Amino acid sequence: MADAEALLPLAVAIPLIGAVLLAVAGRWLPRLGCDLLATATAAAGLGCLVALWPHTANRAAVRIGGHPADIGIVLLADPLGTGLALLAAVLVLAVIVYSWRYFDEPAGDRAGVFPALLLLFEAGMVGFALTADLFNAFVFFELMSVAAFALTGYRIEDPRPLQGALTFGIVTSFAAYGSLLGIAMLYARTGELNLARLGERLDGQPTDALTVVAFVLVVTAFLVKAAAAPFHFWLPDAHAVAPTPVCMLMSGVMVELGVYGVARVYWAVFAGPGGIPHTAFRTTFVAVGVVTALLGALMCWPQRHLKRMLAFSTVSHVGLFLVGVALLTPAGTGATAVYVAGHGCAKAALFGLCGVLLDQYGSVDEYGLHGKARAHRAVGLLFALGALVLAGLPPFGAGLGKALGEEAAGHALLPVLLLTSAVTGAALLRATARIFWGAGPPPRKAPADAETTGEGEEPEVRAARQSPRPPMVAVPAALLLLGLLVGTVPAVAESLGHGAELFTDRAGYGAAAGGSELRGGAAPEAVATEWTAVGAGLGVASAALACLMAGAALWWPGGVALRRASAAAVLPLRRLHSGLLGDYLAWLAVGMAALLLAVALQAQGA
Amino acid sequence: MRDRTRLLLLGCACAVIAGFFTAACPRLPAFGTDLHRYGDRAVAAALAHQTANVVSSVNFDLRALDTLGEETILFVTVLASTLLLRLARDERKAPPRSERALPTTRLFGAVLLPVALVVGVYVVAHGQLTPGGGFQGGVVLATALHLAYLAADYRVLERVRPLEALDVTDALAAVSFTALGLAGLAAGGAFLENVLPFGTFNQITSGGLVPLLNVAVGVEVGSGLIVLLAHFLDQAVEITEPDGHPHPGGRPHRRPATAPQEDEN
Amino acid sequence: MGVLPFLAAGWVLLTALYGLVTSRNLIHAIGCLAVAQSSTYLMLLGVGYRRGATAPVYGDLEPGSRPVVDPVVQALTLTDIVVGATATALLLALTIQLRKRHGTVDPQALTALKG
């Protein structure tokens, strides 16, 4: 355990130190030096987490400052938290390599600032994934938020990124302050901030209005981060305009950390007798998840702005992740863990490939680029592969996660998983076929009043080049390969399955994080994490369905009327995504009120 | 959404939230309660570590990781302001004009500036004993320097403000917090463990690591705020459009508000 | 009286939300965000108050001679203040650039991203 004692804090400290080195040395170092320094730091952070991984099998906890858990802060590494931290570290490394010589600004002496902010973003995410203290989680949550919205507004010459960053910043910050209000209320009731101790204290109390309000306030901030409907509005706006490398991180791992926050806080604090009853949590959050998944898919289909399309596909997948953890079974949680790992790699790869288009054509518009990218077939093939992976193609990690999720969710929810992943995959396939192969007739314009085109974007790389820079293609390819490994190397899924057992074992977590000694928790059920014939079959089916839908959208002549009708049907929904800050915050309030009512009514009934 | 729809939506939602919140508040321990479990434990732990200011003890000893995170947020903001308030491609920097201040204002500034600096240093140095500490002192230090701007003009402020050095200082102070934490690890203890001797209660050297961390934070907040304000002030005072007009009072320039949408076919 | 300080915190949060939703000026909206944040100060400090107690600083106070209020919430508030101030600074920086590029700070005129 002596190792973990050092490794846990180092996982947060290494990116911090690297960021400072970059900020200072970036003044003198040439551009190449900055890139190398950033890469080395990201690799060191990753190495530290990899070294930590073996310790997680039995949970490794570290008391910061050597203080006991009731007065200090505890960092705790279990497979799922550490797994997410690992995903963050992998993606940060990928993004730093991807953006080698990517940006030319700020010019000259401050070349280190952008990678430094990426590293600080990583520190926030890793800290959030590893902490076992509620207030400390708030601090790291804010760290990753602040870094994220600064990075989103990177391109100051264009008003749209600034607008996206402002909406993102204000909505997230408001929700975070709400959650701090909830934390204060929990503190008043229990006199604790450690998650495990908080949970123990709550166990002795009745479930009343205070519990419900505190729960909803705390969870809302995570749901905003996770972009669950109706808290999701900021996400497509921010993702459509943020620099590509930042999108890779935000969609690939930051959003998923919101889901992790909900699950972690529920299991550690509210899952006991004095918290929110399991049935209330399950029905509420499965419903939220299903609505989010459907809404994301519905909104993904009509998009023509590629990054916005990818953003809505993230919303849709987040809905599925929420469903998975809201089942409150080790199987559902394990499936989500595998799904998140696979999805993170694939989604980051797809965003990376969007960056190639942006680099080459200064546009990510499906209509405007029709048939233009025929010269980049290799990129197109990778793009199509990524789309199929999102649809659930075996044997990729995302497919395995989806298959396990379908098994855990049962028959009632199976169509949701199947359909939404097929629709988002199909939208991407359609765009790929149009852009890289010029498939179908040139698309007609949809109703103009509620649409963001992908044209008139600033190319992110100044010097126009004939072919994309090698890392911009190699990194997405490597990420897709990594996603393949998640699905094919059984050890990965197995350890995540074991992680899910630990994650849902409340008593064990409590004992490790500083609560009282283990109180005879039930032996966790073993989680199956292998491919099954049914699962693989369903994966192939949804991938095939995606191809079919994309084909129909492109070539089916009889589909015109249907297309027009569906476009008209979705239009009111699209109009709700108005880009207006006031609307988004009003929806935030509506979402909170709905959650309060749903949880309170069910908690009373239970 | 129309304004009225939105307000209606908000009104209904707020009514529900307010109702629940009102129902929840009486369930909290009464205002002024005697029961403060964590607070009592923190007081005992602070006294055991010979730290007279318990708030500082919580911030820099018991829950030092929170403060590390928070310092990092400040560092992010300073870096981000470098990024976001950089000179855009179409902007130029012009030297600021010199301004005339009233003689009394000048005198006032000249007298107050050193006093304010001393107060700042005092507040940082006594953070473990009396109310105050790194943040508060750092803010006093940073604002003290800006008396030069108020009492004289921007040129004078630029002379007393070595921006490059402060930028580097800020980064080094940020990393020194982490380094002090790692020192605990290196000394065989835990990360951020208070491994120094605690000293005598109510002496300026008491509290072990607390005064050192206080200084690190004070330096970071002080230099960080100056750099942050410098970026903002540059925007107002120095940065101009290519044709020489300063931005304030400015009009939109260059790009239209929305992306072109006239791609009918 | 016993619950009024807590109710005040909720009131401040909802007032800030109203201000944010109806805001026609980003500077004003960011101000509202700061108001929302002060609701957390109110709640934290209210929760930590102890009747008849003094500040948790023993610089000129004999330990044990008087009760003190909860120092933890004060420390949390301090952290919260710095977090909020930095977030505000960043948002203001974005607003400055938006004003330059867009010529407006009216959030209801920002409609470049939709659908």
Side-chain angles (χ1 to χ4, degrees):
Chain A
M1 210 55 116
D3 272 347
E5 185 81 22
L7 288 172
L8 261 167
L10 272 179
V12 181
I14 288 174
L16 291 186
I17 296 172
V20 168
L21 285 180
L22 272 170
V24 175
R27 300 175 153 275
W28 306 293
L29 276 182
R31 187 58 202 257
L32 182 66
C34 279
D35 286 341
L36 285 177
L37 184 56
T39 314
T41 311
L46 179 61
C48 175
L49 282 163
V50 169
L52 182 63
W53 182 255
H55 296 274
T56 60
N58 294 311
R59 295 193 188 92
V62 170
R63 295 177 300 159
I64 296 299
H67 299 290
D70 60 345
I71 51 172
I73 294 172
V74 172
L75 291 184
L76 188 140
D78 66 351
L80 293 200
T82 315
L84 268 172
L86 259 176
L87 180 62
V90 167
L91 290 184
V92 166
L93 179 60
V95 158
I96 284 178
V97 174
Y98 177 87
S99 46
W100 266 22
R101 312 194 48 83
Y102 190 66
F103 292 103
D104 60 338
E105 280 187 279
D109 60 340
R110 303 319 305 272
V113 171
F114 183 77
L117 279 172
L118 286 178
L119 289 172
L120 292 167
F121 189 24
E122 178 188 353
M125 294 192 285
V126 171
F128 182 74
L130 295 181
T131 188
D133 184 282
L134 194 51
F135 186 77
N136 196 236
F138 165 80
V139 172
F140 280 119
F141 182 88
E142 281 291 295
L143 175 55
M144 68 176 173
S145 305
V146 168
F149 63 75
L151 286 166
T152 304
Y154 175 83
R155 287 181 292 146
I156 55 169
E157 276 93 0
D158 186 346
R160 286 173 293 179
L162 299 168
Q163 184 188 334
L166 269 167
T167 318
F168 175 25
I170 291 179
V171 174
T172 320
S173 300
F174 182 83
Y177 300 149
S179 95
L180 187 53
L181 203 65
I183 293 173
M185 294 169 91
L186 282 176
Y187 177 83
R189 166 155 280 186
T190 61
E192 304 286 350
L193 289 170
N194 180 290
L195 291 178
R197 297 182 59 87
L198 257 172
E200 258 172 34
R201 286 275 182 197
L202 273 190
D203 285 354
Q205 310 261 0
T207 299
D208 54 14
L210 174 57
T211 327
V212 173
V213 170
F215 171 71
V216 170
L217 281 171
V218 170
V219 155
T220 298
F222 297 144
L223 287 176
V224 169
K225 188 59 93 186
F231 308 110
H232 69 284
F233 290 93
W234 65 268
L235 183 136
D237 290 4
H239 280 47
V241 295
T244 311
V246 181
C247 293
M248 291 166 75
L249 285 179
M250 292 207 296
S251 252
V253 60
M254 182 189 81
V255 167
E256 287 73 5
L257 279 169
V259 179
Y260 168 81
V262 174
R264 173 64 87 205
V265 165
Y266 181 73
W267 276 110
V269 179
F270 291 99
I276 306 297
H278 283 218
T279 48
F281 182 86
R282 189 177 300 130
T283 13
T284 311
F285 283 86
V286 167
V288 172
V290 168
V291 170
T292 309
L294 292 176
L295 184 106
L298 264 181
M299 289 294 298
C300 179
W301 180 257
Q303 297 301 324
R304 55 191 277 197
H305 186 294
L306 269 184
K307 281 166 123 184
R308 221 174 148 79
M309 189 187 286
L310 283 170
F312 276 113
S313 115
T314 299
V315 172
S316 178
H317 279 96
V318 158
L320 301 183
F321 301 157
L322 264 177
V323 170
V325 298
L327 295 171
L328 295 181
T329 57
T333 312
T336 304
V338 177
Y339 205 170
V340 165
H343 168 269
C345 296
K347 189 53 72 63
L350 283 168
F351 267 114
L353 295 171
C354 273
V356 175
L357 287 177
L358 208 51
D359 171 24
Q360 297 286 314
Y361 305 103
S363 165
V364 285
D365 188 55
E366 179 186 342
Y367 296 2
L369 287 178
H370 185 261
K372 286 220 178 105
R374 285 200 173 92
H376 298 290
R377 285 280 159 83
V379 176
L381 281 176
L382 285 176
F383 216 108
L385 182 62
L388 287 172
V389 169
L390 282 191
L393 182 75
F396 283 85
L400 177 59
K402 189 168 83 78
L404 296 172
E406 283 161 349
E407 210 163 304
H411 294 304
L413 292 171
L414 192 142
V416 177
L417 274 105
L418 198 75
L419 259 181
T420 53
S421 57
V423 169
T424 52
L428 287 165
L429 277 178
R430 183 195 68 203
T432 314
R434 279 199 179 132
I435 293 173
F436 292 97
W437 279 272
R444 288 176 170 279
K445 193 173 152 302
D449 64 329
E451 189 156 68
T452 304
T453 69
E455 291 179 329
E457 296 276 333
E458 295 246 349
E460 289 172 347
V461 186
R462 279 288 109 188
R465 289 167 56 106
Q466 286 304 308
S467 60
R469 296 173 197 286
M472 293 179 70
V473 184
V475 166
L479 284 172
L480 283 173
L481 184 67
L482 206 61
L484 180 67
L485 291 181
V486 171
T488 47
V489 178
V492 177
E494 264 166 36
S495 54
L496 288 176
H498 173 62
E501 291 162 22
L502 293 184
F503 194 86
T504 50
D505 169 19
R506 184 161 187 261
Y509 180 84
S516 58
E517 280 312 298
L518 195 60
R519 291 160 303 157
E525 325 161 23
V527 176
T529 51
E530 300 94 42
W531 280 102
T532 58
V534 180
L538 283 171
V540 172
S542 67
L545 187 61
C547 293
L548 213 65
M549 285 163 70
L554 290 171
W555 292 294
W556 185 33
V560 177
L562 182 68
R563 271 203 291 280
R564 205 166 287 153
S566 65
V570 184
L571 193 60
L573 197 60
R574 298 190 76 181
R575 287 212 172 106
L576 287 184
H577 296 75
S578 57
L580 295 179
L581 180 66
D583 286 2
Y584 292 1
L585 284 158
W587 284 116
L588 179 100
V590 170
M592 275 176 81
L595 275 184
L596 281 168
L597 284 172
V599 174
L601 289 176
Q602 293 179 83
Q604 212 169 29
Chain B
M1 271 192 292
R2 289 216 312 270
D3 283 359
R4 277 192 50 194
T5 334
R6 180 169 43 208
L7 271 186
L8 197 69
L9 214 58
L10 179 73
C12 296
C14 280
V16 174
I17 298 173
F20 272 96
F21 195 82
T22 314
C25 281
R27 308 280 180 166
L28 288 166
F31 181 64
T33 174
D34 218 22
L35 185 68
H36 294 284
R37 297 194 190 95
Y38 199 160
D40 294 342
R41 292 195 299 265
V43 169
L47 293 180
H49 281 191
Q50 310 290 342
T51 314
N53 181 353
V54 185
V55 181
S56 275
S57 176
V58 175
N59 265 329
F60 296 100
D61 188 356
L62 309 179
R63 299 182 60 86
L65 190 62
D66 283 345
T67 308
L68 174 62
E70 173 214 315
E71 286 321 295
T72 312
I73 296 179
L74 181 63
F75 183 54
V76 168
T77 308
V78 174
L79 277 188
S81 71
T82 321
L83 197 67
L84 296 176
L85 298 176
R86 67 181 181 260
L87 216 53
R89 284 186 205 113
D90 54 353
E91 289 175 336
R92 298 286 169 273
K93 237 176 164 171
R97 279 175 301 159
S98 107
E99 313 268 352
R100 277 179 53 105
L102 287 176
T104 43
T105 318
R106 278 173 173 273
L107 178 68
F108 194 64
V111 172
L112 211 57
L113 198 153
V115 176
L117 282 178
V118 171
V119 170
V121 171
Y122 176 90
V123 172
V124 173
H126 289 74
Q128 67 281 19
L129 305 176
T130 53
F135 314 112
Q136 298 90 328
V139 174
V140 173
L141 283 173
T143 37
L145 207 64
H146 288 86
L147 281 171
Y149 181 37
L150 293 185
D153 64 15
Y154 201 62
R155 292 175 170 194
V156 175
L157 177 63
E158 282 184 328
R159 242 178 290 145
V160 297
R161 182 187 74 180
L163 214 48
E164 297 257 316
L166 284 171
D167 212 7
V168 174
T169 312
D170 173 55
L172 293 180
V175 83
S176 64
F177 200 114
T178 319
L180 286 169
L182 291 174
L185 211 54
F191 183 65
L192 283 168
E193 182 156 347
N194 198 340
V195 284
L196 293 180
F198 298 134
T200 316
F201 188 73
N202 228 349
Q203 296 289 308
I204 193 156
T205 51
S206 64
L209 206 54
V210 175
L212 286 185
L213 290 176
N214 249 322
V215 170
V217 169
V219 173
E220 198 207 331
V221 172
S223 49
L225 272 188
I226 295 171
V227 175
L228 190 63
L229 279 173
H231 288 303
F232 275 94
L233 289 172
D234 278 355
Q235 289 288 325
V237 180
E238 289 197 329
I239 291 185
T240 59
E241 286 180 60
D243 50 8
H245 289 295
H247 275 304
R251 57 220 150 63
H253 72 274
R254 239 159 62 95
R255 191 165 294 128
T258 48
Q261 299 208 332
E262 57 285 328
D263 45 333
E264 251 118 338
N265 35 6
Chain C
M1 172 60 204
V3 297
L4 275 183
F6 306 137
L7 288 178
W11 170 252
V12 171
L13 186 78
L14 290 183
T15 313
L17 182 59
Y18 173 79
L20 274 167
V21 170
T22 55
S23 181
R24 298 304 301 268
N25 184 317
L26 275 169
I27 310 273
H28 166 262
I30 293 166
C32 288
L33 198 62
V35 172
Q37 200 189 16
S38 31
S39 79
T40 63
Y41 307 154
L42 262 179
M43 184 55 105
L44 280 169
L45 295 179
V47 155
Y49 179 62
R50 189 196 296 261
R51 204 167 295 283
T54 183
V57 178
Y58 293 101
D60 47 7
L61 184 73
E62 187 64 26
S65 59
R66 274 191 70 183
V68 292
V69 299
D70 191 336
V72 177
V73 293
Q74 305 209 354
L76 301 190
T77 309
L78 205 51
T79 307
D80 185 20
I81 288 174
V82 180
V83 169
T86 50
T88 307
L90 255 189
L91 291 171
L92 286 174
L94 289 168
T95 309
I96 288 182
Q97 296 293 2
L98 191 73
R99 168 77 173 79
K100 283 196 266 179
R101 299 296 155 189
H102 207 313
T104 176
V105 288
D106 181 356
Q108 311 219 9
L110 303 177
T111 51
L113 303 167
K114 60 191 173 195

